[in-house]
Amino acid sequence: MVAKSNDSQPVSKKKGKKAQVEDPSVGEQLKEYFKGVRSEWHKITWPDKQQTWHETLVVIVVTAIITLLIYIIDVTLRYIIGFIPGN
């Protein structure tokens, strides 16, 4: 891993006129990424069975209500459009 100074510029491990900045390899970057994923995974709190059923029921009821409202609007607009001459 490359050391960084306070001004967020990478610092080279070699000193001299032609010092090169070393970037972490793709493998090291992936390793760090998955370490972060694993760390965050342990912070997840999963809902219990009762809460899952309750929220599923709420989604089903809200979906049914919205479907019914869209159906009523559709039928009403078809009825109103039926009065337009030429249809």
Side-chain angles (χ1 to χ4, degrees), residues 30-60:
L30 279 173
K31 205 184 283 188
E32 287 297 315
Y33 172 77
F34 283 111
K35 281 182 185 178
V37 169
R38 186 174 181 179
S39 171
E40 292 298 320
W41 185 266
H42 293 294
K43 296 177 184 178
I44 297 173
T45 56
W46 298 100
D48 59 358
K49 191 174 184 178
Q50 182 181 4
Q51 182 180 1
T52 303
W53 278 109
H54 179 262
E55 291 176 3
T56 301
L57 182 63
V58 168
V59 168
I60 291 170

Side-chain angles (χ1 to χ4, degrees), residues 6 16 39 74 78 81 84:
N6 290 339
S39 171
D74 182 50
R78 267 198 245 164
I81 290 174
I84 297 174

Side-chain angles (χ1 to χ4, degrees), residues 4-49:
K4 291 191 177 186
S5 65
N6 290 339
D7 60 351
S8 298
Q9 296 295 326
V11 177
S12 173
K13 290 184 178 181
K14 297 180 183 179
K15 295 188 180 191
K17 287 185 179 179
K18 294 186 178 181
Q20 293 180 355
V21 177
E22 295 178 19
D23 290 330
S25 69
V26 174
E28 290 173 350
Q29 290 175 348
L30 279 173
K31 205 184 283 188
E32 287 297 315
Y33 172 77
F34 283 111
K35 281 182 185 178
V37 169
R38 186 174 181 179
S39 171
E40 292 298 320
W41 185 266
H42 293 294
K43 296 177 184 178
I44 297 173
T45 56
W46 298 100
D48 59 358
K49 191 174 184 178

Side-chain angles (χ1 to χ4, degrees), residues 68-84:
L68 184 62
L69 287 175
I70 291 173
Y71 175 75
I72 291 170
I73 292 170
D74 182 50
V75 169
T76 305
L77 288 175
R78 267 198 245 164
Y79 179 76
I80 293 171
I81 290 174
F83 287 114
I84 297 174

